[in-house]
């Protein structure tokens, strides 16, 4: 009975401490009678060695001292009255339960907005390099620089002698010998600058990521979650550079000279991997930036009036459908890389039919010509999916149509849902951009892939992905209000 009396006193004291901690938005640690002094002087530490803001630290210090004193007085008075014995298991259990609850409800740290803007800048630069990369591919400029040097490659040729030396290097490889043997030096300069600009933009992204990233980490401005995300994005950027050169090397292979009717171009597999990794960098940077800025707004109470609407269980299916749209857009874009890699947009330049039919003959879709030595005569036909121009274009058409249909269905489904204004805007934007992208795709096909339309179509795919990602992000459950920010 005495033990239960003490349990009630200690539990009520800790509950008051928890309530006060929530009011001040300061993380609370568990404690016992054996470490009251340690609790009194404790200060929670944010990740990466950074400290709390001065005001929050002062609030926490004052709160810790007052709470420790209150618990100590009650504890001493109870002991003096002889109201406690050695069996204090109930008190310990009560203290543990309350402390655990406090830890679960303790507010998280919020990263400063500048880190979010940094991530959005990286995503914008990635968007730019995807567009420039599309132009480089469409102008057949990607094989104009036949070597990779991180530092020396930053300086383009300047004198006539340097240009002639660079041109001579290009002449040693299959693209010049098979396709461009009549090219002049001035024509070479044009394709050289496309590829050089693409590589320089890649270097700029690396610098724009590394220098601010190191600064933010050194100043303790990254939480563990954001730090992990940043490391993954940084690794992808480095991998992307190496993958780009690996892709270019596939188009410089001398074996192309031994292959009848060969067209010097990079491997469509490596091109798709290169584009896919660029998209992953874009997705990672964009979503991280949006998360940081949203967390800041939540910490300022900007989402209090919208929380109930966003967290509405009636939107569960709608949220799942939005995730599906993101996956479809991404998959359709990657299939477009195979179309570009095989120049599959230069055949069947009509829509919606292919040779007067909705679907080309099965023999064209699954041609034995693409089987390799040792392939099973039936199961080996899968190579057509990635190597056959007809099949690749047909797949892209089907995926694009499926994506547009899904976006339209999502738009119609949203009409009957109680969506907040910013989510409604995201749905409308997704539908509008999807219509534009379909129009660009059809025009690009009908006009046999001119550079302007082809570039716009590639930019449109990333714009559509952006709209889908924004919608998916907007539908995320509003987190618990955060009030502490890192320096």
């Amino acid at each position: 009975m005495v033990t239960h009396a003490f349990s009630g006193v200690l539990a009520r004291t800790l509950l008051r401490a928890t309530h006060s901690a929530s009011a001040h938005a300061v993380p609370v640690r568990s404690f016992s009678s054996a470490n009251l002094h340690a609790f009194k002087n404790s200060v929670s530490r944010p990740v990466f060695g950074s400290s709390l803001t001065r005001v929050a630290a002062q609030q926490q210090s004052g709160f810790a001292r007052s709470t420790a004193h209150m618990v100590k007085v009650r504890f001493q008075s109870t002991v003096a009255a002889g109201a406690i014995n050695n069996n204090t298991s109930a008190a310990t259990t009560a203290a543990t339960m309350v402390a655990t609850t406090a830890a679960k409800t303790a507010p998280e740290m919020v990263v400063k907005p500048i880190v979010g803007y940094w991530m959005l800048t990286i995503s914008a630069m990635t968007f730019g390099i995807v567009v420039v990369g599309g132009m480089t591919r469409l102008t057949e400029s990607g094989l104009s620089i036949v070597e990779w040097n991180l530092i020396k490659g930053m300086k383009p040729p300047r004198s006539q002698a340097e240009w002639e030396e660079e041109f001579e290097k290009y002449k040693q490889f299959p693209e010049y010998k098979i396709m461009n043997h009549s090219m002049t030096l001035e024509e070479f300069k044009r394709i050289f600058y496309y590829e050089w600009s693409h590589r320089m933009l890649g270097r700029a992204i690396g610098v724009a990521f590394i220098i601010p990233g190191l600064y933010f980490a050194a100043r303790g401005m990254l939480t563990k979650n954001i730090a992990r995300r940043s490391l993954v994005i940084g690794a992808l950027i480095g991998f992307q550079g190496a993958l780009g050169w690996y892709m270019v090397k596939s188009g410089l292979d001398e074996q192309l000279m031994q292959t009848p009717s060969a067209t010097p171009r990079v491997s469509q597999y490596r091109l798709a991997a290169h584009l896919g990794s660029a998209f992953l960098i874009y997705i990672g940077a964009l979503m991280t930036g949006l998360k940081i800025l949203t967390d800041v707004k939540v910490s300022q109470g900007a989402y209090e009036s919208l929380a109930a609407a966003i967290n509405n269980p009636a939107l569960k299916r709608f949220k799942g459908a939005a995730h599906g749209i993101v996956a479809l857009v991404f998959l359709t874009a990657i299939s477009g890389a195979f179309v570009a890699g095989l120049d599959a947009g230069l055949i069947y330049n009509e829509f919606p039919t292919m040779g007067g039919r909705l679907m080309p003959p099965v023999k064209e879709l699954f041609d034995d010509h693409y089987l390799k030595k040792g392939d099973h005569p039936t199961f080996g036909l899968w190579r057509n999916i990635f190597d056959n121009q007809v099949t690749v274009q047909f797949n892209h058409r089907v995926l694009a149509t499926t994506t547009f249909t899904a976006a339209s269905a999502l738009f119609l489904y949203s009409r009957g849902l109680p969506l907040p204004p910013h989510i409604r805007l995201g749905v409308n934007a997704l539908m509008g951009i999807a219509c534009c992208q379909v129009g660009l795709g059809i025009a690009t096909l009908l006009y046999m892939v001119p550079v302007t339309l082809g570039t716009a179509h590639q930019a449109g795919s990333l714009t559509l992905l952006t709209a889908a990602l924004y919608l998916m992000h907007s539908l995320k459950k509003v987190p618990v209000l955060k009030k502490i920010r890192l320096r």
Side-chain angles (χ1 to χ4, degrees):
M1 182 175 179
V2 173
T3 302
H4 288 299
F6 174 71
S7 301
V9 172
L10 184 57
R12 284 194 298 272
T13 303
L14 289 174
L15 283 171
R16 290 177 184 174
T18 304
H19 176 73
S20 179
S22 299
H24 289 281
V26 178
V28 180
R29 292 184 176 181
S30 61
F31 61 90
S32 64
S33 59
N35 62 357
L36 285 175
H37 181 71
F39 170 78
K40 179 178 178 180
N41 297 314
S42 65
V43 177
S44 298
R45 297 178 181 176
V47 299
F48 265 59
S50 65
S51 59
L52 299 174
T53 57
R54 182 171 298 177
V55 174
Q58 290 174 350
Q59 290 176 342
Q60 181 178 8
S61 179
F63 162 70
R65 287 194 297 270
S66 62
T67 304
H69 176 72
M70 180 168 50
V71 174
K72 184 176 181 180
V73 169
R74 287 179 178 266
F75 179 75
Q76 290 176 343
S77 63
T78 306
V79 173
I84 186 170
N85 56 26
N86 293 330
N87 184 13
T88 60
S89 59
T92 303
T93 302
T96 302
M97 291 176 61
V98 175
T100 302
T101 303
K104 289 182 178 180
T105 58
E108 299 176 7
M109 304 302 176
V110 179
V111 179
K112 282 190 173 182
I114 189 173
V115 180
Y117 293 130
W118 166 57
M119 281 292 179
L120 293 183
T121 300
I122 296 299
S123 67
M125 294 179 72
T126 305
F127 190 108
I129 200 172
V130 169
V131 175
V132 173
M135 294 176 63
T136 303
R137 174 72 189 90
L138 290 166
T139 56
E140 298 182 344
S141 306
L143 301 177
S144 58
I145 302 178
V146 297
E147 57 188 8
W148 170 255
N149 190 300
L150 183 61
I151 305 301
K152 289 179 62 177
M154 296 174 64
K155 175 182 171 294
R158 295 182 180 178
S159 65
Q160 182 69 15
E162 288 178 342
W163 274 113
E164 290 179 355
E165 180 183 357
E166 195 69 33
F167 193 25
E168 285 300 320
K169 293 178 183 177
Y170 175 68
K171 289 180 179 180
Q172 306 306 311
F173 290 91
E175 184 175 70
Y176 176 83
K177 295 177 180 179
I178 297 175
M179 296 176 57
N180 296 334
H181 47 80
S182 61
M183 176 178 281
T184 65
L185 180 59
E186 291 303 315
E187 291 172 332
F188 171 72
K189 288 181 180 180
R190 185 176 66 85
I191 65 171
F192 178 92
Y193 274 121
Y194 272 116
E195 175 64 9
W196 180 81
S197 300
H198 184 57
R199 295 190 183 192
M200 286 301 295
L201 187 51
R203 291 182 175 94
I205 291 174
V207 172
F209 181 84
I210 292 172
I211 294 178
L214 291 176
Y215 173 80
F216 294 143
R219 293 295 300 272
M221 297 173 68
L222 305 178
T223 62
K224 286 183 179 179
N225 178 268
I226 300 303
R228 283 193 294 266
R229 287 174 177 239
S230 300
L231 287 174
V232 171
I233 294 170
L236 280 173
I237 291 174
F239 173 74
Q240 174 74 340
L243 184 58
W245 174 240
Y246 179 65
M247 176 189 69
V248 169
K249 285 181 66 177
S250 66
L252 302 176
D253 193 346
E254 288 292 340
Q255 289 186 354
L256 291 169
M257 299 296 298
Q258 313 301 325
T259 306
S261 304
T263 301
R265 57 189 174 208
V266 300
S267 163
Q268 68 271 24
Y269 294 94
R270 300 184 192 184
L271 177 63
H274 190 52
L275 181 67
S277 62
F279 271 47
L280 290 178
I281 293 169
Y282 179 78
I283 292 171
L286 178 66
M287 296 303 285
T288 302
L290 290 176
K291 170 183 166 52
I292 292 171
L293 297 181
T294 299
D295 285 350
V296 172
K297 290 182 179 180
V298 170
S299 71
Q300 297 169 349
Y303 278 77
E304 287 184 7
S305 60
L306 298 174
I310 297 175
N311 298 339
N312 189 344
L315 300 183
K316 185 176 181 180
R317 288 186 178 180
F318 185 74
K319 292 178 180 180
H323 282 72
I325 293 293
V326 171
L328 276 173
V329 173
F330 182 84
L331 187 60
T332 304
I334 299 304
S335 74
F338 283 93
V339 173
L342 291 172
D343 290 328
L346 300 179
I347 61 172
Y348 284 121
N349 300 104
E350 55 185 316
F351 191 87
T353 59
M354 296 181 72
R357 306 167 58 175
L358 289 177
M359 177 178 173
V362 175
K363 185 173 179 57
E364 288 188 28
L365 289 173
F366 298 99
D367 193 340
D368 294 344
H369 171 73
Y370 296 95
L371 292 175
K372 292 188 177 181
K373 186 177 181 180
D375 283 348
H376 189 279
T378 300
F379 296 111
L381 293 175
W382 67 267
R383 294 187 184 278
N384 284 268
I385 298 173
F386 304 107
D387 296 345
N388 185 341
Q389 286 181 312
V390 176
T391 311
V392 165
Q393 190 193 116
F394 178 73
N395 290 341
H396 188 60
R397 288 186 182 217
V398 171
L399 283 170
T401 304
T402 303
T403 302
F404 179 74
T405 302
S408 302
L410 186 72
F411 175 78
L412 294 175
Y413 179 52
S414 71
R415 299 299 93 184
L417 295 176
L419 299 178
H422 71 292
I423 296 179
R424 180 76 63 191
L425 176 64
V427 176
N428 294 341
L430 178 68
M431 188 70 254
I433 296 171
C435 291
C436 292
Q437 178 67 350
V438 168
L440 279 171
I442 295 172
T444 301
L445 181 66
L446 296 180
Y447 288 95
M448 299 186 68
V449 199
V451 174
T452 51
L453 285 176
T455 303
H457 188 50
Q458 180 152 318
S461 68
L462 202 49
T463 305
L464 182 60
L465 181 63
T466 304
L469 289 170
Y470 171 78
L471 178 61
M472 185 178 73
H473 171 78
S474 300
L475 287 166
K476 285 187 176 180
K477 186 176 181 180
V478 177
V480 178
L481 186 66
K482 304 176 179 72
K483 294 184 179 179
I484 296 179
R485 290 171 53 187
L486 298 180
R487 285 183 180 178

